[in-house]
Amino acid sequence: MESSIALVLLGAIIYLFVAGGLPLTGNIIATPNSENINPGDISSGDIVEPNPSQVFIYVLNTVPSNSSYNQGLYRDIVVTFSEQMLSYTVNSHTFIVRGPNNIALDGTITSDFTGRVWTFNPTDTLKSNTLYTITLTTGVRGVSENTLFRNYVFDFTTHSYSGGGGGSTSTPAPLVLTEITLTPSSRNISPGNAFQLDAVGLDQNSNQFNTTINYTSSNLSVANVSSSGLVTALSLGNTTITASNGIITDSSLVIVVEAILSSIEFSSSSGNISVGNDLQLNVSSYDQNQDPIIALINYTSSNESVATVNSTGFVTTLLSGNTTITASNGSINDTFVLNVFEAILTSINLTSPIETLVIGNTTQLISESFDQFNFPMSVVIAYNSSNESVANVSSSGLVTALSMGNTTITASNGTISNNVTINVYFPVLTRIDLTPSSTILQSGESIQLDAESFDQNNNTLSVVIAYNSSNESVATVNSTGFVNATGIGNATITAFNDSVTDTSLVTVVAISCPAVSVDLLTAGDYAIFAGTAIGKDGTAGTLINGDIGVGDGVTSTAITGFSLSVDPTNDFSTSIYVIGEVYAADYTGGQMGSTGTTPAKVLQAISDIGTIFTTANGLAACVTELGAGNIGGMTLSPGVYKWGSSTTVLIPTDLYLSGSATDVWVFQIGKNMVVSSSVEVHLTGGALAKNVFWIVTETTTLNSDSIMNGNIISGPGTSTIALMDRATLNGRALSGTDVTLIGNPVTKPTG
């Protein structure tokens, strides 16, 4: 008992000296507690004999603790130092974890925001029933530039699972929170400043345990603490911050003291500059707790003939020489030695906006001059061309192209120079770009096409462009590219110069399409309704905003992947993937106030889908066979569009539906519809998804990451609606057969 008390008192004395940053003196014998300690190392249980004049950093805590047993195989190794560490000193050479055969483990080393808590995360899972030894070498250094007195060594042993009868493995005990460690354990701070506490939960094996930590302050008038452990000092006094989870707690003493300026620091101790340039110096002020403090700073220059400094730290250089700039407040100060030199030209930066010129064109060179400290200089620059028959250059750096070839333009001042190479060429027309590439006009409307010409270097070229129309009964074009729609149908407008061409497809439709409407009847109550099945795979992202259901006589077993939960009424079920209700014919009610109407409800819905399909397909079309089925890149006005049974509608690029909130679009598709990956059907001008109807006879495919707006209604037979990976549907999917989903958000429109 007496020896235990003596050890405690001895430990307390050592802690007071080390924690206070005071040197230890005297002879204290170090006793190793690990078999893996190398000569000169210090273990976590050691007491050492330090140099009487040296101050050392030390290790506050380790997780796992030294010589601990039954540690988990999936764990981090955490070390808390007595001060913030220099990050570049804590690495695989100074934080070493060794396992079997004394082999060092691979892993990542990171720190928390304080720079005091460092974590080694092993790349591979630790082995069971194995001793691991951790060495922190004297190569680690704190921001004070102090280091450990000797290598710090600790170890732990992982747990082992013993097999039971028949080769079975025993089940480990459940992990529970047994300890919270809160760092720092105490902190001095001045009013208005804040610091972050770090709370770590540990289980019964001393492994890190993720849990909710609650923070409280015993004196809110002195300091408060946020839910994340951020402490803000308010007024002078003491308060205890407690981190807790149930009965498991730890605390930190916060002492709020009056801030006293204790240091002023320039960002660097010296600098070089040339005469005529200015410099803004910046300093930081800190109180006795090394927290930032606002202080009035006075600046002086020791040699004002060399440089002066104003009250904000702005330095003006006058002559070459040296001066010391002092920043001070009372007796607290710091200095910055400024060396001022005569400026010497050391580099010229020369650029040309255009390095490939057409004969007869010009380009203005840009030159910048810099001294030995990379400050800009104002000097006279001379220019010359290595081949003046190709291009010449003026005294101001203006280059004029004269004939085909290359020349080097040099900018110089004395021996300092730089150059650029200018290529002069004769332009040849290689490409015409005619826009728009396609357009839809009503009969009698017109549009101005725009043709741009480019040479072999992709520079614009001024050439004469001619135009013609493939069908002048549909559309005519004049010599400037102005198109008039004269009939109904398609015409290809060609812009050309000799053999170089480009085209624009002009589709002319009737003057206007009569307004139409489509009634979705009871099927409009659903975001998704299918005649035979609705299937969802395991891909994350599926969320249906609206009710879903399957057809007459089809049971809920046809709705797969939704983890259905039957409502107590037995009228419907619910799903975590559905913001709404799920209906099928086997939800017959009969429980807790049930209506028992679900079988009739789904019968009516599948019947209504057939009615919608027939009715919408019967509307008179005002545009037929648009784009031969390829409508990507088009902008379509309201109306009824129709394609026959041999045409698949393709949307390979973004499509735009432009109209008002009351306008309606109906697309009568006699075969399939395919929306390419990452393509979006846009609604512009106020158009609404609820007023867009895609009436598809066979299969609809929305490929990965596409975005579709509108209601998709497929008829009986092979009318699958397939939403591929992450495709989005803002509308409804109403199919006579099935609907398949792969991680898709589907939102039923309102109204």
Side-chain angles (χ1 to χ4, degrees), residues 51-402:
N51 184 314
S53 61
Q54 176 67 48
V55 176
F56 298 100
I57 61 171
Y58 55 96
V59 175
L60 283 175
N61 184 52
T62 65
V63 178
S65 57
N66 186 47
S67 299
S68 57
Y69 291 91
N70 202 31
Q71 299 301 305
L73 305 183
Y74 304 90
R75 68 157 310 120
D76 293 337
I77 299 165
V78 183
V79 176
T80 303
F81 293 95
S82 59
E83 68 173 58
Q84 180 182 349
M85 305 300 290
L86 293 172
S87 60
Y88 65 87
T89 70
V90 185
N91 52 52
S92 60
H93 301 292
T94 60
F95 189 156
I96 306 165
V97 180
R98 297 186 184 276
N101 301 317
N102 205 32
I103 297 174
L105 274 61
D106 292 329
T108 56
I109 300 173
T110 58
S111 74
D112 72 348
F113 70 96
T114 68
R116 296 173 57 240
V117 180
W118 289 80
T119 301
F120 180 95
N121 176 247
T123 300
D124 298 322
T125 304
L126 303 182
K127 298 180 181 299
S128 64
N129 197 28
T130 300
L131 176 70
Y132 288 89
T133 302
I134 299 88
T135 302
L136 301 167
T137 76
T138 56
V140 299
R141 299 204 307 277
V143 293
S144 64
E145 292 291 346
N146 293 323
T147 184
L148 298 168
F149 176 63
R150 291 182 182 171
N151 291 352
Y152 185 96
V153 181
F154 66 100
D155 59 45
F156 65 90
T157 303
T158 54
H159 60 60
S160 60
Y161 292 131
S162 59
S168 63
T169 302
S170 62
T171 302
L175 298 177
V176 295
L177 178 68
T178 59
E179 181 183 353
I180 293 173
T181 61
L182 188 62
T183 54
S185 59
S186 66
R187 174 74 147 83
N188 289 357
I189 191 171
S190 54
N193 285 317
F195 73 96
Q196 180 66 48
L197 288 170
D198 183 40
V200 177
L202 302 176
D203 62 21
Q204 65 268 42
N205 299 319
S206 296
N207 295 329
Q208 188 166 331
F209 187 89
N210 293 327
T211 187
T212 301
I213 303 293
N214 300 308
Y215 296 91
T216 58
S217 170
S218 66
N219 193 338
L220 289 172
S221 65
V222 171
N224 60 33
V225 60
S226 72
S227 59
S228 62
L230 181 69
V231 178
T232 302
L234 303 174
S235 63
L236 304 182
N238 298 341
T239 185
T240 298
I241 306 298
T242 301
S244 64
N245 182 298
I247 63 173
I248 309 300
T249 67
D250 196 12
S251 62
S252 174
L253 176 63
V254 176
I255 304 171
V256 183
V257 296
E258 193 69 49
I260 300 173
L261 178 66
S262 64
S263 67
I264 296 172
E265 297 178 8
F266 280 103
S267 56
S268 61
S269 60
S270 64
N272 298 326
I273 195 171
S274 51
V275 175
N277 290 301
D278 301 319
L279 177 65
Q280 178 64 58
L281 294 176
N282 297 297
V283 297
S284 301
S285 305
Y286 299 95
D287 66 14
Q288 69 273 36
N289 304 311
Q290 282 301 298
D291 289 320
I293 185 174
I294 298 174
L296 179 63
I297 303 298
N298 298 311
Y299 295 91
T300 59
S301 170
S302 66
N303 191 344
E304 293 194 341
S305 65
V306 171
T308 61
V309 60
N310 70 8
S311 60
T312 65
F314 186 79
V315 177
T316 302
T317 60
L318 302 173
L319 296 172
S320 59
N322 301 324
T323 185
T324 298
I325 306 298
T326 301
S328 64
N329 181 300
S331 62
I332 309 301
N333 63 72
D334 195 17
T335 58
F336 177 85
V337 177
L338 181 64
N339 305 306
V340 184
F341 299 86
E342 290 294 336
I344 300 173
L345 177 66
T346 57
S347 66
I348 295 172
N349 185 30
L350 184 63
T351 58
S352 174
I354 305 172
E355 295 186 358
T356 303
L357 286 178
V358 173
I359 294 174
N361 287 352
T362 62
T363 184
Q364 178 63 55
L365 299 179
I366 301 169
S367 64
E368 298 173 291
S369 305
F370 300 93
D371 67 14
Q372 68 270 42
F373 304 116
N374 209 34
F375 284 100
M377 288 186 68
S378 177
V379 298
V380 175
I381 299 295
Y383 297 92
N384 67 69
S385 169
S386 66
N387 192 339
E388 293 197 345
S389 65
V390 172
N392 60 33
V393 59
S394 72
S395 60
S396 64
L398 181 68
V399 178
T400 301
L402 303 175

Side-chain angles (χ1 to χ4, degrees), residues 551-735:
D552 175 44
V554 180
T555 67
S556 57
T557 58
I559 304 174
T560 57
F562 282 83
S563 302
L564 299 178
S565 178
V566 180
D567 186 77
T569 64
N570 198 33
D571 282 335
F572 58 91
S573 62
T574 58
S575 167
I576 61 172
Y577 304 103
V578 179
I579 304 176
E581 297 169 349
V582 181
Y583 293 93
D586 57 336
Y587 296 141
T588 56
Q591 307 290 331
M592 297 180 63
S594 156
T595 62
T597 60
T598 297
K601 182 174 181 172
V602 296
L603 172 62
Q604 186 62 53
I606 193 63
S607 174
D608 287 344
I609 290 174
T611 301
I612 299 162
F613 181 83
T614 301
T615 302
N617 261 327
L619 296 172
C622 54
V623 181
T624 59
E625 300 301 327
L626 177 63
N630 186 335
I631 57 176
M634 294 186 180
T635 299
L636 302 182
S637 55
V640 179
Y641 298 80
K642 184 177 182 65
W643 294 269
S645 60
S646 61
T647 303
T648 290
V649 170
L650 303 174
I651 309 178
T653 57
D654 285 8
L655 173 67
Y656 299 83
L657 307 183
S658 177
S660 71
T662 58
D663 287 328
V664 175
W665 289 257
V666 178
F667 300 94
Q668 302 167 340
I669 301 170
K671 195 170 177 62
N672 305 312
M673 177 174 71
V674 179
V675 181
S676 295
S677 296
S678 302
V679 166
E680 180 173 356
V681 175
H682 298 267
L683 303 178
T684 63
L688 300 177
K690 70 175 184 177
N691 295 329
V692 179
F693 303 89
W694 304 89
I695 314 301
V696 184
T697 301
E698 296 185 15
T699 299
T700 298
T701 304
L702 307 184
N703 278 304
S704 58
D705 299 304
S706 61
I707 301 176
M708 167 59 81
N709 281 290
N711 305 289
I712 304 172
I713 298 99
S714 291
T718 58
S719 55
T720 294
I721 300 175
L723 280 67
M724 308 308 286
D725 296 21
R726 302 172 301 281
T728 297
L729 173 59
N730 299 314
R732 300 173 176 87
L734 308 176
S735 173

Side-chain angles (χ1 to χ4, degrees), residues 465-629:
I465 300 294
Y467 298 88
N468 65 41
S469 169
S470 66
N471 191 342
E472 293 195 345
S473 66
V474 172
T476 61
V477 60
N478 68 10
S479 60
T480 66
F482 189 79
V483 176
N484 281 306
T486 56
I488 306 299
N490 297 323
T492 298
I493 306 300
T494 302
F496 63 95
N497 180 296
D498 198 8
S499 61
V500 182
T501 67
D502 196 18
T503 61
S504 175
L505 176 64
V506 176
T507 300
V508 183
V509 298
I511 292 175
S512 64
C513 290
V516 296
S517 64
V518 176
D519 187 352
L520 292 178
L521 305 173
T522 65
D525 296 337
Y526 299 86
I528 300 176
F529 198 97
T532 59
I534 301 173
K536 181 191 81 65
D537 79 346
T539 303
T542 294
L543 183 63
I544 314 302
N545 196 338
D547 295 345
I548 70 173
V550 289
D552 175 44
V554 180
T555 67
S556 57
T557 58
I559 304 174
T560 57
F562 282 83
S563 302
L564 299 178
S565 178
V566 180
D567 186 77
T569 64
N570 198 33
D571 282 335
F572 58 91
S573 62
T574 58
S575 167
I576 61 172
Y577 304 103
V578 179
I579 304 176
E581 297 169 349
V582 181
Y583 293 93
D586 57 336
Y587 296 141
T588 56
Q591 307 290 331
M592 297 180 63
S594 156
T595 62
T597 60
T598 297
K601 182 174 181 172
V602 296
L603 172 62
Q604 186 62 53
I606 193 63
S607 174
D608 287 344
I609 290 174
T611 301
I612 299 162
F613 181 83
T614 301
T615 302
N617 261 327
L619 296 172
C622 54
V623 181
T624 59
E625 300 301 327
L626 177 63

